[in-house]
């Protein structure tokens, strides 16, 4: 189905319409992952888009945009009163130059530091205060399919436009960045950011062959499985996720962990704050594995945090291979 034609920029290869091409109908995450083009060619296309957006005339409004789950929104002008229900997207808003337009954030929106200053707290990602959000009279609310509950999104949509993102891979995160930038009227900044992230990840070394388990929770143990954003990041680093055959974020037992026999176990700092005692608990089950704490934001924030993540991964990779035990 041909997406609706909306104002955006031509990057020679296609007419970009929010998150899709109005010429060929392909989604931008598909174009970003196009196997027929090398990483250098994709970077060139994104940089060319940034130049055209920076040099061109302002794009007309209103704009019809399509979010990550296919909903269409008609925005009369650049949103001026934005509520963010996702910490990673709050950071993205500021990095796209829209921080002054953010009027409401969750209690978990801690980056950047300015996000806490002068903005109304609207509850948590899973427990938003709908009445408080309504009182802020937002003209755009940013939510995420995985982070926020569908019933809360539906309730907010009765009085404000809600843009729901979804990113299960780095390629989708780049498409999301460009699409959110378009919805904000910040196309140039978004195109530059996406190009910088693409370039940074393209330069990362790979650690092929190392078997890895990425833990996100305890009691019960939970891991990152196949189809998750974390799984895609692991694959980009060359790591073989031993639970890639299980979808999303499955529960596992100590016996499952022992049977999977990972070479390295990554203990995320979020959503569960693993401590050294937990690492030792796992080491008793997996004496052959290397236990390593990692910064969860770098692995699971699909936005501008990915630019910092690339530098973090460059330093982390040499530490993954080594002797077994708690590090």
């Amino acid at each position: 189905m041909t997406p609706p034609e909306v104002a955006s920029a031509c990057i020679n290869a296609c007419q970009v319409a929010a998150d899709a091409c109005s010429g060929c109908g392909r989604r931008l995450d598909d174009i970003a992952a196009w196997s027929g083009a090398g990483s250098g060619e994709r970077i060139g296309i994104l940089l060319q888009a940034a130049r055209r957006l920076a040099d061109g005339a302002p794009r007309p409004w209103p704009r019809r945009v399509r979010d990550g789950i296919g909903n269409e929104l008609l925005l009369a002008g650049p949103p001026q009163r934005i509520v963010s229900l996702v910490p990673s997207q709050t950071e993205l808003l500021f990095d796209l130059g829209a921080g002054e337009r953010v009027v409401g954030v969750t209690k978990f929106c801690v980056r950047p530091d300015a996000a806490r200053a002068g903005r109304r707290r609207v509850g948590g990602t899973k427990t938003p205060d709908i009445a408080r959000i309504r009182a802020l009279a937002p003209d755009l609310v940013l939510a995420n399919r995985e982070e926020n509950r569908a019933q809360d999104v539906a309730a907010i949509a009765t009085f404000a436009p809600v843009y729901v993102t979804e990113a299960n891979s780095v390629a989708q995160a780049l498409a999301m960045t460009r699409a959110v930038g378009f919805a904000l009227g910040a196309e140039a900044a978004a195109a530059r950011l996406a190009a910088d992230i693409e370039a940074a990840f393209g330069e990362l070394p790979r650690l092929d062959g190392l078997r890895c388990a990425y833990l996100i929770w305890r009691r019960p143990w939970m891991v990152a499985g196949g189809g998750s954003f974390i799984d895609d990041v692991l694959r980009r680093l060359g790591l073989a996720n031993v639970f890639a055959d299980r979808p999303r974020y499955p529960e596992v037992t100590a016996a499952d962990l022992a049977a999977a026999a990972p070479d390295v176990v990554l203990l995320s700092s979020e959503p569960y704050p693993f401590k050294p005692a937990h690492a030792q608990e796992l080491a008793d089950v997996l004496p052959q594995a290397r236990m390593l704490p990692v910064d969860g934001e770098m692995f699971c924030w699909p936005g501008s945090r990915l630019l910092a993540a690339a530098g973090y991964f460059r330093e982390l990779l040499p530490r993954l291979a080594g002797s077994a035990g708690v590090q």
Side-chain angles (χ1 to χ4, degrees):
M1 180 174 58
T2 303
E5 292 190 8
V6 292
S8 189
C10 174
I11 58 173
N12 286 350
C14 51
Q15 293 284 341
V16 180
D19 65 344
C21 170
S22 60
C24 67
R26 293 185 177 91
R27 291 175 62 87
L28 293 188
D29 54 354
D30 295 329
I31 295 171
W34 178 35
S35 60
S39 61
E41 185 174 354
R42 288 196 295 272
I43 294 167
I45 290 173
L46 293 171
L47 289 174
Q48 186 179 62
R51 286 195 297 271
R52 285 175 174 266
L53 289 165
D55 298 338
R59 307 298 162 185
W61 296 83
R63 294 182 178 183
R64 189 175 299 277
V65 301
R66 185 169 40 162
D67 70 10
I69 61 174
N71 296 326
E72 291 185 3
L73 305 176
L74 181 64
L75 302 177
Q80 299 300 312
R81 297 185 60 79
I82 305 170
V83 170
S84 173
L85 301 180
V86 188
S88 61
Q89 291 173 185
T90 299
E91 182 179 48
L92 175 61
L93 288 169
F94 277 80
D95 287 339
L96 292 180
E100 292 303 313
R101 294 186 261 163
V102 177
V103 296
V105 297
T106 75
K107 63 183 179 181
F108 302 115
C109 294
V110 297
R111 298 185 184 278
D113 292 340
R116 289 178 170 268
R119 280 140 189 110
R120 190 76 185 273
R121 303 288 177 81
V122 295
T125 55
K126 298 290 192 296
T127 56
D129 188 322
I130 306 298
R132 190 173 295 178
I133 295 172
R134 183 194 293 269
L136 288 172
D139 52 9
L140 183 67
V141 176
L142 277 184
N144 178 265
R145 187 173 190 172
E146 188 168 276
E147 293 279 347
N148 307 118
R149 302 187 307 170
Q151 59 264 41
D152 294 327
V153 170
I156 297 168
T158 62
F159 59 83
V162 183
Y163 189 103
V164 182
T165 63
E166 183 175 31
N168 295 318
S169 68
V170 173
Q172 288 181 355
L174 296 179
M176 180 268 289
T177 296
R178 293 189 294 268
V180 169
F182 179 79
L184 297 174
E187 302 98 313
R192 292 190 189 98
L193 177 59
D196 287 345
I197 293 171
E198 177 89 8
F201 268 76
E203 294 170 357
L204 283 176
R206 289 174 57 89
L207 201 61
D208 291 313
L210 200 66
R211 291 167 51 78
C212 169
Y214 187 103
L215 268 71
I216 63 168
W217 202 258
R218 177 176 177 267
R219 292 186 179 173
W221 298 115
M222 293 180 67
V223 298
S228 65
F229 184 80
I230 295 169
D231 179 65
D232 184 69
V233 171
L234 293 174
R235 287 191 296 104
R236 281 178 172 261
L237 300 178
L239 300 172
N241 183 358
V242 295
F243 292 107
D245 60 332
R246 304 193 187 189
R248 307 301 293 166
Y249 303 103
E251 296 181 9
V252 297
T253 65
D256 292 330
L257 289 165
D263 301 313
V264 61
V265 175
L266 303 182
L267 301 173
S268 180
S269 61
E270 63 169 49
Y272 187 88
F274 285 99
K275 300 293 190 293
H278 305 139
Q280 187 57 56
E281 181 182 354
L282 285 163
D284 294 339
V285 177
L286 299 166
Q288 84 290 346
R290 184 176 178 84
M291 305 290 161
L292 200 66
V294 293
D295 187 337
E297 291 181 5
M298 301 300 181
F299 280 88
C300 65
W301 280 31
S304 48
R305 176 63 34 173
L306 286 173
L307 197 55
Y312 174 81
F313 294 145
R314 184 174 293 279
E315 295 181 359
L316 176 68
L317 283 172
R319 300 173 53 211
L320 296 183
S323 58
V326 178
Q327 309 303 314

